[in-house]
Structure formats: structure tokens, C-alpha cells
Amino acid sequence: MARRTAEALPLDESVRREVYFFGLYRLLEAALLALIFFGPESALFGTPRLPQLGAAVTLFYLPASLALMFWAHQGRALRWYVLVGTAVDIGVATLAAHAHPAAASGIAMMLLFNVGSASLLLPLRYGMSAAMLAAAALLGEYIWNRVMDPGAAQPFAERLMFAVSYGAFAGLTWLLGRQMRTQQALAARRGAEVADMAALNELIIRRMRTGVLLVDANRQIRMVNEAALLLLGQSGRDMSGSDLAQVSPPLAERLAAWRRDHDPDHPPLALGDDQIEVLPRFVQLMASSQSTLVFLDDASVLSRRAESLTLAAMGRFSASLAHEIRNPLAAISYATQLLEESREIGDADRRLLQIVHQQCQRTNGIVESVLSLARRERANPEHVDLAQFVRRFVEDYRQVLPEDNGSLKATGPSKPVPAMVDPRHLQQVLTVLVQNALTHGYLPGQAPRVSVNVHVLDGAPVIDVLDRGPGIPSGVLTQLFRPFFTTSETGTGLGLYIARELCHANQASLDYVGAAGGGGCFRVTLSAPQGLLTG
């Protein structure tokens, strides 16, 4: 395949152009022959020896040249076209030179281009064959002249030099054609590689999650990827060639400001119908170009990435802090047990020591939950009676809740409500929910009233933590369980996030639902024992 490509050019646009010029040159030769034999100034070229033969050859060559031009225009059988055309050129040149000996040298010189063109377009063997045929025709015509008119024959050396020139010119043009074909094949391969690379780059840009626009000096959009269309609220539309000022006036104003002062420090923009927070970045494409690359980053995605990094750091910090807390907590618990064994402690103080010991155990359970969350440990579910668990939780919490800080009660059926859950995780989840309800779930001038209700909803055990507060605004609900989101100046924004993560670890869910009588309600939906065992 490589040898064939190096021998002959395919009939592409460049070869069509060369063949076309070859045909035009043949028409020029026919026109010159017509001028020599039929022109009013034909005397300038000398007197033809055989005018009838010259006229006949010219009358044949003109339509033959047109026919060959039409053949070349069809773009088929290139090799046969060149071979037939060259044979016709050699025959016509030989007969015309014989009919007009005074113009024989010029006709032989014009034939040199025909031979070179054949060698340029065809393999070497065909080009050298055309050169040998032309040389043989000239030598044959010389012999013919010697026979017919020995005194009028031109020098043999002239014909011999033309014959050598045909061969040398055919070889040189073939070398030139081979080099040209090699370079063309290399250029085609490089062009295909560049086209593939450009297509790959375009595909990568179009599939990038970061929005990318290419805007020229006149604010015309030259390229836009799918992510940018989505952020601009123009998904599915072809925005190439559109004016950026019409597509997104705020972005066009930001681009104009950047081109004016090149200040990269700008706040996010709200773009599109959905008012997505987008952070634009601008990069000049080249130093000598006014085109600008515009990168559009979804601010929420960047925020989530920052949250992920912060959470990872907080996880490591929490694990380290939990380890530090466990040691003094163990010391406090041990000291409390020793004090409980003392006979000098009264019953009232002994009850306080029991509360301290219970709270140490509860705090240790919370520390263990934080450590397991930081380590992403799996929950250890147990069969738990939710009704009894909640009553015990409320009783323990009341012991550390001052009376003037609100009321807390447990409601639910008297019969058991079975569930599968890790008791330590459930203890921490309820602690977070009750603490939030006591802190935020009350109206001004009223004391907090919180109830923990256990019931069964659609076959699943449910715990509702209800308060009598103002509820949660609808604009906050979408960010309620996001890490570090808080409406309190002293809050960390991690309580509800950790509570939901603990619920997910136990195949449970934590949601906020509006209370029917006003206030707020956080609902923990757990897995029933049968559902967990069969799942």
C-alpha cells in the first residue's frame, strides 16, 4: 500500500488541479500550432514544407485537446488519460515538426513539458517510457527527413540532445513528484492527527464539568460547552455566534470589567433562570489575541468541595479530640465510683454521684459514636424497644435539665415498639434533636415544651421530636442538614449533620416535617427487625 501511494498520486483536488493545468497547456500548444499553420502572421515562423499535413494535424489536435480536457474533468482513469494524452502529444509534435521543419526545434521544446508532466503524474516506468517514445519519435522523424530530403535535414546532434533532455527531465520530474507525494502523504497523516487531536480536545472541553466559553473581541461566543449552557440556562441550544450581552448581560458586564482592569477578585454571579451561583474566571487566549476564555464554576460545587475538605479535617480533629476526652472522662467515672463506695456520703449526694456516673457513661457513648463516625465504622444494631428506650432517655435527660429551662416528656404506646438500631447512635441522635428543640423550639416569652413521641407509621417504627416553636423557614430547609450550616451565632452546624449520618449508618432516615398544630418536628424513621433481617 505504501509503495502504491509513493508511485502515483490519488485523484484528489491537488492532482485535479495539476491535470487541469496540463490540459490547458495542451490547449495552448494546439493554439500555437493553429497560429503557425493558419495565422495571418504565419510567415514569421517560416514556410511549412507540408502545409496540408500541418493543417490536418492542427485540425485534429484542437478537438482532441478539448476531448482530453473533458476526460480529465470526469476525474476517472487518470493513468490512461495521461498515457493517451502523452501519446497524442508525441504523435502530433512529430508530424507537426515534419510538416514545418523551421519550427521543429520549438515544437520539440514544447514537448519537453508534456513528457515531464507524464513522469510527474505516473510511476517512473511510464514516465521513462514516454521519454523514450518521444526520443524515438524525434529520431524517427530525423531519419524520415534524411530519406525524403537529405539536404534539408537538421543536425543529428540537436535531435540527440533533445532525446537526452527528455530522459533527464523525466527522471528529475519523477523525483520531484515522489518527493511531493511523500510530503503530501506526511501532511495528510499530520493533518489527520491534528484533526483527531482537535476533535478529542473539543470532546474533552464539551464534557468538562466546568463551563467553558470562548468569546472574541466583539463579545461573540465562538465556542461553548454543555456545562456552560446548563449554567447559563440555555441547555440544548446552539449559542455559537451569539452575542454574550444578549445571552447573559451580567456575565458580559463582568467580562468588560475584567478586560478593563484585569481584576480577578470578583464575587459569584447569579446566572440563568434558576439563578445558579456561578464564579467566573477569565483567561486571555493569546497575548496578541483579544479572544478570552471564560471558565464558569458552580459555586455550590466549590462549596461542597470545601466542605468535604473541612469535614475530613474535622473528622481527624474530632477523632483526636475524642481520644483526649476519654482519659479524663474515665478518671471522673472512676473517682465517682470510689465516692459512691464511701460511707460518709449522704443519700442526696449519692444520688448526685449516680447522675454524674450516668452522664459520664452517656458522654463516653457519644465519644464512641464520634470516633466511629470519624472512622466510618459500621453500626452495631440491636433489638431495641423504642418506647422503653425513649422513656429511659427522657428520664435521664430530665435529671440534668433545670426546671426553668423547659419541659421534656415522652409519649407513645404502652406496648413495645421493636426496632433494629445501635443504641449508642440513637442516644446521640436524640440528644442532638432534643437539645436543638430546647434551644430554638419556643416562642418569645414562653418556656420550651418538647415531646418525644414513639409510634408506627406505615409499618416502620418512628420517633418524632416535637417542639412548640416558630418552625423552620422554607428557605432554610434545603440547607438544614448541610455541614457547618447554622442560624445560631454559637452553633457549629455539625449536630444535625452528624445525626443524619448516624441515622444513615443504621439504615434509618432523619427528616424535618411540619407539625400539624404548629412548631417543628424532626422525624427519625427506623428499620423494623423483620425488614432489616430480610433485607
Side-chain angles (χ1 to χ4, degrees):
M1 181 64 68
R3 179 179 177 84
R4 180 174 296 179
T5 303
E7 285 185 350
L9 283 170
L11 197 57
D12 56 10
E13 291 301 323
S14 61
V15 178
R16 288 178 184 272
R17 185 171 58 252
E18 294 167 5
V19 171
Y20 174 74
F21 288 131
F22 188 17
L24 285 180
Y25 180 75
R26 183 178 288 113
L27 282 176
L28 176 62
E29 289 179 317
L32 288 176
L33 289 180
L35 181 64
I36 292 174
F37 289 102
F38 298 109
E41 303 295 335
S42 57
L44 296 175
F45 303 98
T47 303
R49 182 174 57 186
L50 300 173
Q52 293 81 5
L53 177 61
V57 168
T58 302
L59 293 176
F60 165 79
Y61 198 39
L62 281 171
S65 300
L66 293 174
L68 289 171
M69 281 286 292
F70 178 76
W71 187 358
H73 183 71
Q74 298 300 314
R76 293 176 296 193
L78 171 63
R79 180 172 299 179
W80 284 106
Y81 162 77
V82 177
L83 288 175
V84 172
T86 304
V88 170
D89 295 336
I90 294 173
V92 168
T94 303
L95 294 176
H98 184 71
H100 203 313
S105 299
I107 295 173
M109 182 65 69
M110 287 194 303
L111 187 60
L112 189 65
F113 181 82
N114 301 77
V115 173
S117 299
S119 182
L120 181 69
L121 296 171
L122 296 178
L124 179 61
R125 60 181 181 274
Y126 294 106
M128 296 306 295
S129 298
M132 293 173 61
L133 180 61
L138 284 183
L139 295 177
E141 193 274 332
Y142 174 79
I143 297 173
W144 188 8
N145 280 338
R146 294 287 296 181
V147 173
M148 292 185 61
D149 190 2
Q154 293 180 338
F156 178 75
E158 180 181 323
R159 302 300 176 92
L160 183 60
M161 284 188 293
F162 273 118
V164 174
S165 299
Y166 291 152
F169 194 67
L172 290 175
T173 53
W174 178 81
L175 289 175
L176 177 62
R178 185 180 66 174
Q179 184 68 21
M180 181 178 62
R181 289 186 284 272
T182 303
Q183 294 297 327
Q184 184 179 8
L186 179 61
R189 289 197 301 271
R190 294 292 184 265
E193 293 174 359
V194 171
D196 292 342
M197 189 62 66
L200 179 61
N201 292 337
E202 182 178 358
L203 179 61
I204 292 174
I205 291 175
R206 290 192 177 278
R207 295 300 183 184
M208 285 175 60
R209 294 185 178 181
T210 300
V212 180
L213 295 92
L214 178 60
V215 183
D216 63 13
N218 299 321
R219 298 184 306 184
Q220 300 295 316
I221 299 176
R222 296 306 176 190
M223 186 191 68
V224 57
N225 67 349
E226 297 173 2
L229 291 175
L230 185 62
L231 293 174
L232 293 172
Q234 305 290 339
S235 181
R237 296 182 57 186
D238 184 11
M239 304 304 298
S240 298
S242 301
D243 190 349
L244 182 61
Q246 297 179 354
V247 176
S248 177
L251 185 59
E253 293 177 2
R254 183 67 59 83
L255 175 60
W258 178 84
R259 285 177 172 175
R260 183 176 58 254
D261 52 26
H262 286 275
D263 184 8
D265 189 12
H266 289 290
L269 290 173
L271 301 181
D273 297 334
D274 298 333
Q275 295 295 292
I276 301 175
E277 291 289 329
V278 176
L279 183 62
R281 293 181 290 115
F282 307 98
V283 178
Q284 190 170 355
L285 191 59
M286 291 182 294
S288 59
S289 174
Q290 295 297 323
S291 298
T292 306
L293 276 175
V294 183
F295 296 94
L296 302 178
D297 294 310
D298 192 340
S300 62
V301 175
L302 297 177
S303 177
R304 286 193 294 270
R305 291 176 183 171
E307 288 174 0
S308 299
L309 295 175
T310 306
L311 286 175
M314 287 294 296
R316 293 190 295 269
F317 172 75
S318 300
S320 176
L321 182 62
H323 281 296
E324 296 297 328
I325 292 175
R326 293 178 70 181
N327 293 330
L329 191 64
I332 294 173
S333 179
Y334 181 68
T336 303
Q337 292 178 9
L338 292 178
L339 287 174
E340 287 179 349
E341 295 176 358
S342 175
R343 296 179 180 180
E344 299 178 358
I345 301 298
D347 293 339
D349 293 337
R350 194 176 302 278
R351 178 56 182 164
L352 293 176
L353 290 175
Q354 291 177 356
I355 293 175
V356 172
H357 182 62
Q358 291 174 355
Q359 294 305 313
C360 285
Q361 291 180 335
R362 187 170 69 89
T363 305
N364 185 68
I366 294 174
V367 170
E368 293 290 340
S369 298
V370 171
L371 285 174
S372 64
L373 182 63
R375 293 191 295 262
R376 297 296 182 183
E377 293 180 355
R378 297 182 61 182
N380 296 315
E382 301 176 5
H383 290 272
V384 176
D385 179 8
L386 288 186
Q388 182 181 0
F389 183 90
V390 167
R391 285 194 294 269
R392 187 171 61 250
F393 169 81
V394 170
E395 291 175 0
D396 294 340
Y397 203 98
R398 280 176 179 170
Q399 294 178 1
V400 295
L401 178 66
E403 293 183 359
D404 56 349
N405 283 5
S407 63
L408 176 65
K409 66 178 181 178
T411 60
S414 57
K415 60 181 181 179
V417 180
M420 288 291 291
V421 66
D422 189 327
R424 298 176 299 112
H425 290 176
L426 183 58
Q427 178 87 16
Q428 185 174 354
V429 170
L430 292 179
T431 301
V432 170
L433 297 181
V434 170
Q435 183 64 36
N436 281 352
L438 291 172
T439 304
H440 307 288
Y442 62 92
L443 296 174
Q446 299 182 3
R449 291 182 297 166
V450 180
S451 62
V452 184
N453 181 29
V454 178
H455 60 100
V456 178
L457 182 64
D458 297 331
V462 173
I463 302 176
D464 287 341
V465 179
L466 302 100
D467 61 59
R468 294 296 180 181
I472 297 178
S474 57
V476 179
L477 290 177
T478 57
Q479 307 181 64
L480 190 60
F481 296 97
R482 290 182 58 182
F484 308 109
F485 173 77
T486 178
T487 57
S488 174
E489 295 180 356
T490 60
T492 62
L494 288 173
L496 290 177
Y497 170 75
I498 293 178
R500 172 172 274 192
E501 290 296 313
L502 292 174
C503 288
H504 289 170
N506 289 269
Q507 299 184 12
S509 62
L510 174 59
D511 303 287
Y512 176 81
V513 294
C521 175
F522 282 91
R523 174 167 295 170
V524 180
T525 305
L526 300 164
S527 299
Q530 297 83 357
L532 188 62
L533 293 176
T534 58

